Amino acid sequence: MSNMKTLPLLEPTVEPCCSPLAERPLTAEEAERTALMFKALGDPVPLRLFSAVASHEGGEACVCDISDVGVSQPTVSHHLKKLKEAGLLSSERRGTWVYYRVEPAVLAAMGALLTKTAAA
């Protein structure tokens, strides 16, 4: 028999940042949150890390599977921390490894932000 326990799924803590840019002007708070997201993705290394997590099989990736982006492990950790602070990634520690995931709401919000709404 296995001693493995199934952990309950956590509700996503990430909320979409704002309405599409073409729908209405952003509020100051929405602009701050949106700028933080884009700033976190504004460098090739964190963008590659975000892409590696988002495209990883099963929708989540162990840091051990995505850290080969041409920089040192402390730099990878720094960028993953910034992606989490920007609300782009969530993480869960399992033993000695940390697993990262992109919440579906984040991808949907980012897509909607840059999508022009249909004219009525």
Side-chain angles (χ1 to χ4, degrees):
M1 290 232 158
S2 173
N3 289 337
M4 294 192 58
K5 294 181 182 179
T6 303
L7 296 174
L9 293 176
L10 299 175
E11 290 298 316
T13 57
V14 177
E15 297 178 19
C17 69
C18 46
S19 61
L21 293 174
E23 186 176 294
R24 63 171 174 76
L26 297 176
T27 66
E29 183 181 323
E30 290 170 336
E32 287 288 330
R33 284 185 289 170
T34 303
L36 187 61
M37 285 179 14
F38 284 117
K39 183 176 180 181
L41 293 173
D43 180 86
V45 172
L47 184 56
R48 287 184 65 201
L49 289 168
F50 182 77
S51 175
V53 173
S55 65
H56 202 270
E57 186 177 332
E60 69 178 9
C62 174
V63 69
C64 60
D65 295 328
I66 60 169
S67 59
D68 186 22
V69 291
V71 295
S72 68
Q73 180 57 46
T75 302
V76 168
S77 295
H78 167 77
H79 287 302
L80 289 170
K81 178 183 174 187
K82 292 298 181 185
L83 290 167
K84 278 184 63 176
E85 288 172 352
L88 295 169
L89 295 179
S90 60
S91 67
E92 177 184 358
R93 179 171 290 282
R94 298 180 196 157
T96 58
W97 296 109
V98 177
Y99 287 77
Y100 291 89
R101 77 187 66 70
V102 177
E103 299 296 343
V106 169
L107 291 177
M110 289 177 72
L113 178 68
L114 298 173
T115 302
K116 185 172 177 134
T117 57

